[in-house]
Amino acid sequence: MRIAVIGAGALGSLFAGLLGLVAEKFGNEIWLVGQTTSQESLKAIAEKGLVIELAPGVNENWPLSREYLYSTSKFMRVSNVKVAKTPSEVSEQVDLALVLVKSYRTPAAAEQARSILKDEGLAITLQNGLGNAEQLAKILGTDRVSQGVTSLGATLLEAGRVRFAGLGQTAIGIAPDLNPERANLLNGLVECLKALALPVVSGQDVSGLVWGKLVVNCAINPLTALLRCPNGRLLEKAGSLELLDAAANEAAMVASAKAINLPFPASEAAEQARKVAALTAGNTSSMLADILRGRQTEIEAINGALVREGEKTGIPTPVNRTLYLLIKALETKN
């Protein structure tokens, strides 16, 4: 396959690099397609390759870490990822596009995908929040878009260098009415991820997993951004714990009202959010990173989307609404 990863931020760079590791095995060609904000990183990758640094938990628990590391150094360099500063630089049309831009950039990413995808190609979103697949479908058509979700952790350290910050499951949605050629593209992606010894599942409906991640993100991301702290610090104070629990429980109630099958009991939403905060204790959330850099956040697709879904279903979401408004105020300030 010819695969394009659209979005050269932390997660996009990580996926492109990981897929590059097994590209030769499958005869694939991997492209990393950037935005205006990623030109410096793309330049560094083109000149020196993409460097993936392994966080301690990944270094210890990822089965392939020793295979790809440089001697005893906890990093690897991937030199076969092709970069494109604009879609026009992609030499030939691609079979599969992985969309990994911030949610507010989804319409622009859809246009990029349309310009580089083959007619029989497919785009899959692995983004945070709600509504991304729908935005892609407006431009590409519903039959050319698939929904996925990933819990892999990534942090962009500097231009051309990303930290593989956490192992987590990736789920690939394969709709039952998807034509066989496009389904084969997704099955090929699943095989690549399996070859990387990464946790991966595929199925007809991944909406429950998307909402499961939303429940956790609603609780953790805005609180870390507001309190300027890593994820684990939320567990240390009674006040932040109460807010985390309340935000997760509200999100789970909305999911239940929509008859969404979460990957955990709705009654255990707060416990799940606490568990993820503990497992990613040292991580800086993407929302905190955006606030610190004075950038727009994904609050609209996370807490904002949750609040809007709550209004549709008649479920009150006062804590999530407050978190949403506070982050919007910080964005305005920045």
Side-chain angles (χ1 to χ4, degrees), residues 81-121:
V81 172
K82 301 176 182 291
V83 301
K85 296 178 181 178
T86 64
S88 62
E89 294 182 0
V90 179
S91 58
E92 296 180 42
Q93 290 187 309
V94 302
D95 302 288
L96 189 65
L98 275 63
V99 181
L100 281 160
V101 300
K102 297 288 188 181
S103 57
Y104 52 83
R105 294 188 184 275
T106 303
E111 293 292 352
Q112 289 184 310
R114 180 163 64 176
S115 69
I116 62 176
L117 271 176
K118 295 177 180 178
D119 290 341
E120 64 275 19

mmCIF file of all heavy atoms in Angstrom, residues 81-121:
data_model
loop_
_atom_site.group_PDB
_atom_site.id
_atom_site.type_symbol
_atom_site.label_atom_id
_atom_site.label_comp_id
_atom_site.label_asym_id
_atom_site.label_seq_id
_atom_site.Cartn_x
_atom_site.Cartn_y
_atom_site.Cartn_z
ATOM 1 N N VAL A 81 10.587 7.315 5.760
ATOM 2 C CA VAL A 81 9.321 8.048 5.702
ATOM 3 C C VAL A 81 9.501 9.245 4.774
ATOM 4 O O VAL A 81 10.381 10.091 4.984
ATOM 5 C CB VAL A 81 8.877 8.517 7.096
ATOM 6 C CG1 VAL A 81 7.662 9.445 6.999
ATOM 7 C CG2 VAL A 81 8.556 7.322 7.984
ATOM 8 N N LYS A 82 8.688 9.336 3.737
ATOM 9 C CA LYS A 82 8.723 10.459 2.815
ATOM 10 C C LYS A 82 7.878 11.596 3.379
ATOM 11 O O LYS A 82 6.839 11.346 4.011
ATOM 12 C CB LYS A 82 8.197 10.043 1.440
ATOM 13 C CG LYS A 82 8.981 8.910 0.794
ATOM 14 C CD LYS A 82 8.349 8.490 -0.518
ATOM 15 C CE LYS A 82 9.089 7.324 -1.154
ATOM 16 N NZ LYS A 82 10.433 7.722 -1.627
ATOM 17 N N VAL A 83 8.298 12.823 3.192
ATOM 18 C CA VAL A 83 7.560 13.955 3.748
ATOM 19 C C VAL A 83 7.034 14.845 2.632
ATOM 20 O O VAL A 83 7.629 14.947 1.556
ATOM 21 C CB VAL A 83 8.430 14.784 4.716
ATOM 22 C CG1 VAL A 83 8.920 13.922 5.861
ATOM 23 C CG2 VAL A 83 9.614 15.431 3.998
ATOM 24 N N ALA A 84 5.901 15.475 2.913
ATOM 25 C CA ALA A 84 5.291 16.407 1.966
ATOM 26 C C ALA A 84 4.809 17.627 2.739
ATOM 27 O O ALA A 84 3.997 17.506 3.653
ATOM 28 C CB ALA A 84 4.129 15.739 1.232
ATOM 29 N N LYS A 85 5.331 18.786 2.389
ATOM 30 C CA LYS A 85 4.912 20.019 3.051
ATOM 31 C C LYS A 85 3.536 20.455 2.571
ATOM 32 O O LYS A 85 2.818 21.163 3.269
ATOM 33 C CB LYS A 85 5.941 21.116 2.809
ATOM 34 C CG LYS A 85 7.310 20.809 3.417
ATOM 35 C CD LYS A 85 8.318 21.902 3.103
ATOM 36 C CE LYS A 85 9.673 21.555 3.702
ATOM 37 N NZ LYS A 85 10.699 22.577 3.372
ATOM 38 N N THR A 86 3.181 20.010 1.368
ATOM 39 C CA THR A 86 1.849 20.233 0.804
ATOM 40 C C THR A 86 1.427 18.960 0.079
ATOM 41 O O THR A 86 2.293 18.168 -0.345
ATOM 42 C CB THR A 86 1.834 21.402 -0.202
ATOM 43 O OG1 THR A 86 2.659 21.052 -1.327
ATOM 44 C CG2 THR A 86 2.353 22.694 0.446
ATOM 45 N N PRO A 87 0.141 18.721 -0.098
ATOM 46 C CA PRO A 87 -0.303 17.509 -0.786
ATOM 47 C C PRO A 87 0.266 17.377 -2.194
ATOM 48 O O PRO A 87 0.459 16.255 -2.682
ATOM 49 C CB PRO A 87 -1.826 17.664 -0.816
ATOM 50 C CG PRO A 87 -2.141 18.550 0.346
ATOM 51 C CD PRO A 87 -0.989 19.497 0.440
ATOM 52 N N SER A 88 0.543 18.504 -2.848
ATOM 53 C CA SER A 88 1.058 18.453 -4.215
ATOM 54 C C SER A 88 2.423 17.788 -4.291
ATOM 55 O O SER A 88 2.855 17.354 -5.366
ATOM 56 C CB SER A 88 1.140 19.867 -4.810
ATOM 57 O OG SER A 88 2.051 20.668 -4.061
ATOM 58 N N GLU A 89 3.133 17.677 -3.144
ATOM 59 C CA GLU A 89 4.452 17.058 -3.133
ATOM 60 C C GLU A 89 4.382 15.531 -3.031
ATOM 61 O O GLU A 89 5.405 14.859 -3.162
ATOM 62 C CB GLU A 89 5.283 17.618 -1.977
ATOM 63 C CG GLU A 89 5.614 19.096 -2.120
ATOM 64 C CD GLU A 89 6.483 19.609 -0.997
ATOM 65 O OE1 GLU A 89 6.838 18.820 -0.090
ATOM 66 O OE2 GLU A 89 6.818 20.804 -1.005
ATOM 67 N N VAL A 90 3.199 14.987 -2.784
ATOM 68 C CA VAL A 90 3.036 13.530 -2.780
ATOM 69 C C VAL A 90 3.095 13.061 -4.232
ATOM 70 O O VAL A 90 2.269 13.454 -5.055
ATOM 71 C CB VAL A 90 1.713 13.112 -2.116
ATOM 72 C CG1 VAL A 90 1.540 11.596 -2.148
ATOM 73 C CG2 VAL A 90 1.662 13.615 -0.676
ATOM 74 N N SER A 91 4.067 12.224 -4.540
ATOM 75 C CA SER A 91 4.377 11.928 -5.944
ATOM 76 C C SER A 91 3.273 11.171 -6.667
ATOM 77 O O SER A 91 3.040 11.388 -7.851
ATOM 78 C CB SER A 91 5.691 11.138 -6.023
ATOM 79 O OG SER A 91 5.596 9.936 -5.273
ATOM 80 N N GLU A 92 2.604 10.261 -5.983
ATOM 81 C CA GLU A 92 1.506 9.500 -6.584
ATOM 82 C C GLU A 92 0.366 9.416 -5.580
ATOM 83 O O GLU A 92 0.571 9.534 -4.381
ATOM 84 C CB GLU A 92 1.958 8.086 -6.944
ATOM 85 C CG GLU A 92 3.030 8.010 -8.005
ATOM 86 C CD GLU A 92 3.419 6.567 -8.305
ATOM 87 O OE1 GLU A 92 2.493 5.722 -8.379
ATOM 88 O OE2 GLU A 92 4.613 6.294 -8.430
ATOM 89 N N GLN A 93 -0.828 9.191 -6.087
ATOM 90 C CA GLN A 93 -1.977 9.086 -5.195
ATOM 91 C C GLN A 93 -1.838 7.861 -4.292
ATOM 92 O O GLN A 93 -1.240 6.857 -4.667
ATOM 93 C CB GLN A 93 -3.271 9.032 -5.991
ATOM 94 C CG GLN A 93 -3.612 10.360 -6.659
ATOM 95 C CD GLN A 93 -4.975 10.338 -7.306
ATOM 96 O OE1 GLN A 93 -5.299 9.439 -8.070
ATOM 97 N NE2 GLN A 93 -5.788 11.334 -7.005
ATOM 98 N N VAL A 94 -2.429 7.963 -3.106
ATOM 99 C CA VAL A 94 -2.239 6.928 -2.088
ATOM 100 C C VAL A 94 -3.507 6.087 -1.933
ATOM 101 O O VAL A 94 -4.600 6.491 -2.319
ATOM 102 C CB VAL A 94 -1.845 7.555 -0.733
ATOM 103 C CG1 VAL A 94 -0.578 8.375 -0.878
ATOM 104 C CG2 VAL A 94 -2.977 8.410 -0.155
ATOM 105 N N ASP A 95 -3.308 4.922 -1.340
ATOM 106 C CA ASP A 95 -4.433 4.006 -1.095
ATOM 107 C C ASP A 95 -5.176 4.354 0.187
ATOM 108 O O ASP A 95 -6.407 4.260 0.260
ATOM 109 C CB ASP A 95 -3.914 2.568 -0.975
ATOM 110 C CG ASP A 95 -3.163 2.117 -2.203
ATOM 111 O OD1 ASP A 95 -3.813 1.893 -3.230
ATOM 112 O OD2 ASP A 95 -1.920 1.999 -2.135
ATOM 113 N N LEU A 96 -4.414 4.730 1.213
ATOM 114 C CA LEU A 96 -4.982 4.906 2.547
ATOM 115 C C LEU A 96 -4.440 6.184 3.166
ATOM 116 O O LEU A 96 -3.228 6.449 3.093
ATOM 117 C CB LEU A 96 -4.616 3.711 3.420
ATOM 118 C CG LEU A 96 -5.271 3.584 4.795
ATOM 119 C CD1 LEU A 96 -6.777 3.375 4.661
ATOM 120 C CD2 LEU A 96 -4.655 2.404 5.566
ATOM 121 N N ALA A 97 -5.319 6.968 3.781
ATOM 122 C CA ALA A 97 -4.915 8.179 4.481
ATOM 123 C C ALA A 97 -5.329 8.072 5.947
ATOM 124 O O ALA A 97 -6.513 7.880 6.246
ATOM 125 C CB ALA A 97 -5.555 9.419 3.855
ATOM 126 N N LEU A 98 -4.350 8.160 6.841
ATOM 127 C CA LEU A 98 -4.627 8.191 8.280
ATOM 128 C C LEU A 98 -4.686 9.649 8.699
ATOM 129 O O LEU A 98 -3.698 10.381 8.560
ATOM 130 C CB LEU A 98 -3.522 7.473 9.063
ATOM 131 C CG LEU A 98 -3.602 5.957 9.232
ATOM 132 C CD1 LEU A 98 -3.511 5.275 7.873
ATOM 133 C CD2 LEU A 98 -2.493 5.463 10.150
ATOM 134 N N VAL A 99 -5.833 10.076 9.189
ATOM 135 C CA VAL A 99 -6.008 11.479 9.560
ATOM 136 C C VAL A 99 -5.730 11.630 11.051
ATOM 137 O O VAL A 99 -6.429 11.063 11.892
ATOM 138 C CB VAL A 99 -7.426 11.973 9.213
ATOM 139 C CG1 VAL A 99 -7.590 13.440 9.592
ATOM 140 C CG2 VAL A 99 -7.691 11.786 7.719
ATOM 141 N N LEU A 100 -4.696 12.416 11.359
ATOM 142 C CA LEU A 100 -4.264 12.580 12.748
ATOM 143 C C LEU A 100 -3.962 14.039 13.067
ATOM 144 O O LEU A 100 -3.073 14.347 13.858
ATOM 145 C CB LEU A 100 -3.032 11.710 13.022
ATOM 146 C CG LEU A 100 -3.361 10.232 13.251
ATOM 147 C CD1 LEU A 100 -2.151 9.342 13.030
ATOM 148 C CD2 LEU A 100 -3.911 10.025 14.663
ATOM 149 N N VAL A 101 -4.745 14.930 12.486
ATOM 150 C CA VAL A 101 -4.613 16.349 12.795
ATOM 151 C C VAL A 101 -5.490 16.689 14.002
ATOM 152 O O VAL A 101 -6.350 15.909 14.421
ATOM 153 C CB VAL A 101 -5.035 17.233 11.601
ATOM 154 C CG1 VAL A 101 -4.168 16.937 10.385
ATOM 155 C CG2 VAL A 101 -6.515 17.029 11.260
ATOM 156 N N LYS A 102 -5.276 17.883 14.585
ATOM 157 C CA LYS A 102 -6.183 18.377 15.616
ATOM 158 C C LYS A 102 -7.591 18.474 15.026
ATOM 159 O O LYS A 102 -7.771 18.745 13.833
ATOM 160 C CB LYS A 102 -5.733 19.750 16.104
ATOM 161 C CG LYS A 102 -4.357 19.766 16.766
ATOM 162 C CD LYS A 102 -4.385 19.119 18.125
ATOM 163 C CE LYS A 102 -3.055 19.328 18.845
ATOM 164 N NZ LYS A 102 -3.038 18.695 20.179
ATOM 165 N N SER A 103 -8.592 18.274 15.846
ATOM 166 C CA SER A 103 -9.964 18.194 15.359
ATOM 167 C C SER A 103 -10.404 19.440 14.605
ATOM 168 O O SER A 103 -11.165 19.357 13.642
ATOM 169 C CB SER A 103 -10.918 17.929 16.527
ATOM 170 O OG SER A 103 -10.789 18.940 17.510
ATOM 171 N N TYR A 104 -9.910 20.614 15.005
ATOM 172 C CA TYR A 104 -10.334 21.842 14.334
ATOM 173 C C TYR A 104 -9.721 21.975 12.944
ATOM 174 O O TYR A 104 -10.110 22.837 12.158
ATOM 175 C CB TYR A 104 -10.013 23.077 15.181
ATOM 176 C CG TYR A 104 -8.578 23.174 15.650
ATOM 177 C CD1 TYR A 104 -7.577 23.694 14.828
ATOM 178 C CD2 TYR A 104 -8.226 22.762 16.930
ATOM 179 C CE1 TYR A 104 -6.276 23.783 15.267
ATOM 180 C CE2 TYR A 104 -6.905 22.849 17.375
ATOM 181 C CZ TYR A 104 -5.940 23.363 16.542
ATOM 182 O OH TYR A 104 -4.645 23.454 16.976
ATOM 183 N N ARG A 105 -8.740 21.118 12.618
ATOM 184 C CA ARG A 105 -8.139 21.123 11.292
ATOM 185 C C ARG A 105 -8.735 20.038 10.387
ATOM 186 O O ARG A 105 -8.256 19.841 9.269
ATOM 187 C CB ARG A 105 -6.629 20.907 11.387
ATOM 188 C CG ARG A 105 -5.867 22.026 12.075
ATOM 189 C CD ARG A 105 -4.365 21.810 11.949
ATOM 190 N NE ARG A 105 -3.597 22.794 12.664
ATOM 191 C CZ ARG A 105 -3.258 23.993 12.187
ATOM 192 N NH1 ARG A 105 -3.655 24.333 10.971
ATOM 193 N NH2 ARG A 105 -2.542 24.835 12.906
ATOM 194 N N THR A 106 -9.757 19.353 10.834
ATOM 195 C CA THR A 106 -10.308 18.246 10.060
ATOM 196 C C THR A 106 -10.801 18.661 8.674
ATOM 197 O O THR A 106 -10.529 17.962 7.693
ATOM 198 C CB THR A 106 -11.430 17.540 10.840
ATOM 199 O OG1 THR A 106 -10.911 17.085 12.092
ATOM 200 C CG2 THR A 106 -11.970 16.347 10.071
ATOM 201 N N PRO A 107 -11.532 19.784 8.514
ATOM 202 C CA PRO A 107 -11.958 20.159 7.157
ATOM 203 C C PRO A 107 -10.783 20.348 6.197
ATOM 204 O O PRO A 107 -10.842 19.906 5.043
ATOM 205 C CB PRO A 107 -12.720 21.475 7.384
ATOM 206 C CG PRO A 107 -13.234 21.366 8.791
ATOM 207 C CD PRO A 107 -12.127 20.677 9.538
ATOM 208 N N ALA A 108 -9.708 20.968 6.673
ATOM 209 C CA ALA A 108 -8.533 21.146 5.819
ATOM 210 C C ALA A 108 -7.890 19.807 5.498
ATOM 211 O O ALA A 108 -7.433 19.571 4.365
ATOM 212 C CB ALA A 108 -7.522 22.071 6.505
ATOM 213 N N ALA A 109 -7.850 18.905 6.490
ATOM 214 C CA ALA A 109 -7.285 17.573 6.264
ATOM 215 C C ALA A 109 -8.124 16.795 5.255
ATOM 216 O O ALA A 109 -7.588 16.012 4.464
ATOM 217 C CB ALA A 109 -7.195 16.806 7.578
ATOM 218 N N ALA A 110 -9.434 16.996 5.281
ATOM 219 C CA ALA A 110 -10.307 16.321 4.321
ATOM 220 C C ALA A 110 -9.983 16.753 2.902
ATOM 221 O O ALA A 110 -9.965 15.932 1.969
ATOM 222 C CB ALA A 110 -11.767 16.612 4.652
ATOM 223 N N GLU A 111 -9.704 18.030 2.720
ATOM 224 C CA GLU A 111 -9.327 18.522 1.393
ATOM 225 C C GLU A 111 -7.986 17.934 0.969
ATOM 226 O O GLU A 111 -7.789 17.585 -0.196
ATOM 227 C CB GLU A 111 -9.263 20.052 1.395
ATOM 228 C CG GLU A 111 -10.606 20.745 1.582
ATOM 229 C CD GLU A 111 -11.538 20.564 0.395
ATOM 230 O OE1 GLU A 111 -11.100 20.028 -0.656
ATOM 231 O OE2 GLU A 111 -12.716 20.945 0.516
ATOM 232 N N GLN A 112 -7.055 17.829 1.929
ATOM 233 C CA GLN A 112 -5.771 17.208 1.614
ATOM 234 C C GLN A 112 -5.970 15.759 1.195
ATOM 235 O O GLN A 112 -5.375 15.295 0.213
ATOM 236 C CB GLN A 112 -4.837 17.281 2.817
ATOM 237 C CG GLN A 112 -4.313 18.669 3.118
ATOM 238 C CD GLN A 112 -3.308 18.657 4.258
ATOM 239 O OE1 GLN A 112 -3.569 18.093 5.313
ATOM 240 N NE2 GLN A 112 -2.173 19.286 4.053
ATOM 241 N N ALA A 113 -6.805 15.043 1.941
ATOM 242 C CA ALA A 113 -7.064 13.641 1.620
ATOM 243 C C ALA A 113 -7.691 13.501 0.244
ATOM 244 O O ALA A 113 -7.330 12.603 -0.540
ATOM 245 C CB ALA A 113 -7.952 13.012 2.685
ATOM 246 N N ARG A 114 -8.623 14.376 -0.055
ATOM 247 C CA ARG A 114 -9.285 14.298 -1.364
ATOM 248 C C ARG A 114 -8.287 14.474 -2.512
ATOM 249 O O ARG A 114 -8.419 13.830 -3.558
ATOM 250 C CB ARG A 114 -10.386 15.357 -1.469
ATOM 251 C CG ARG A 114 -11.104 15.337 -2.809
ATOM 252 C CD ARG A 114 -12.415 16.075 -2.797
ATOM 253 N NE ARG A 114 -12.261 17.503 -2.535
ATOM 254 C CZ ARG A 114 -13.266 18.378 -2.546
ATOM 255 N NH1 ARG A 114 -14.500 17.922 -2.784
ATOM 256 N NH2 ARG A 114 -13.067 19.637 -2.300
ATOM 257 N N SER A 115 -7.282 15.294 -2.309
ATOM 258 C CA SER A 115 -6.336 15.573 -3.387
ATOM 259 C C SER A 115 -5.302 14.465 -3.584
ATOM 260 O O SER A 115 -4.705 14.373 -4.648
ATOM 261 C CB SER A 115 -5.625 16.901 -3.122
ATOM 262 O OG SER A 115 -4.747 16.798 -2.012
ATOM 263 N N ILE A 116 -5.094 13.622 -2.550
ATOM 264 C CA ILE A 116 -4.035 12.604 -2.688
ATOM 265 C C ILE A 116 -4.565 11.175 -2.705
ATOM 266 O O ILE A 116 -3.821 10.254 -3.026
ATOM 267 C CB ILE A 116 -2.981 12.734 -1.564
ATOM 268 C CG1 ILE A 116 -3.604 12.499 -0.191
ATOM 269 C CG2 ILE A 116 -2.291 14.079 -1.632
ATOM 270 C CD1 ILE A 116 -2.581 12.514 0.946
ATOM 271 N N LEU A 117 -5.832 10.967 -2.385
ATOM 272 C CA LEU A 117 -6.382 9.612 -2.364
ATOM 273 C C LEU A 117 -6.783 9.143 -3.761
ATOM 274 O O LEU A 117 -7.330 9.904 -4.564
ATOM 275 C CB LEU A 117 -7.626 9.552 -1.465
ATOM 276 C CG LEU A 117 -7.450 9.245 0.017
ATOM 277 C CD1 LEU A 117 -8.803 9.348 0.709
ATOM 278 C CD2 LEU A 117 -6.832 7.864 0.236
ATOM 279 N N LYS A 118 -6.525 7.874 -4.035
ATOM 280 C CA LYS A 118 -7.068 7.255 -5.234
ATOM 281 C C LYS A 118 -8.592 7.242 -5.142
ATOM 282 O O LYS A 118 -9.166 7.317 -4.048
ATOM 283 C CB LYS A 118 -6.558 5.819 -5.365
ATOM 284 C CG LYS A 118 -5.063 5.691 -5.570
ATOM 285 C CD LYS A 118 -4.652 4.210 -5.614
ATOM 286 C CE LYS A 118 -3.158 4.058 -5.824
ATOM 287 N NZ LYS A 118 -2.735 2.628 -5.819
ATOM 288 N N ASP A 119 -9.253 7.117 -6.283
ATOM 289 C CA ASP A 119 -10.715 7.073 -6.282
ATOM 290 C C ASP A 119 -11.234 5.949 -5.404
ATOM 291 O O ASP A 119 -12.260 6.083 -4.730
ATOM 292 C CB ASP A 119 -11.240 6.893 -7.703
ATOM 293 C CG ASP A 119 -11.031 8.133 -8.556
ATOM 294 O OD1 ASP A 119 -10.825 9.217 -7.985
ATOM 295 O OD2 ASP A 119 -11.064 8.010 -9.800
ATOM 296 N N GLU A 120 -10.514 4.815 -5.402
ATOM 297 C CA GLU A 120 -10.937 3.671 -4.592
ATOM 298 C C GLU A 120 -10.268 3.667 -3.219
ATOM 299 O O GLU A 120 -10.387 2.703 -2.458
ATOM 300 C CB GLU A 120 -10.622 2.365 -5.323
ATOM 301 C CG GLU A 120 -9.146 2.097 -5.555
ATOM 302 C CD GLU A 120 -8.581 2.755 -6.797
ATOM 303 O OE1 GLU A 120 -9.209 3.709 -7.305
ATOM 304 O OE2 GLU A 120 -7.517 2.317 -7.258
ATOM 305 N N GLY A 121 -9.579 4.760 -2.881
ATOM 306 C CA GLY A 121 -8.878 4.853 -1.597
ATOM 307 C C GLY A 121 -9.802 5.155 -0.435
ATOM 308 O O GLY A 121 -11.016 5.355 -0.602
#
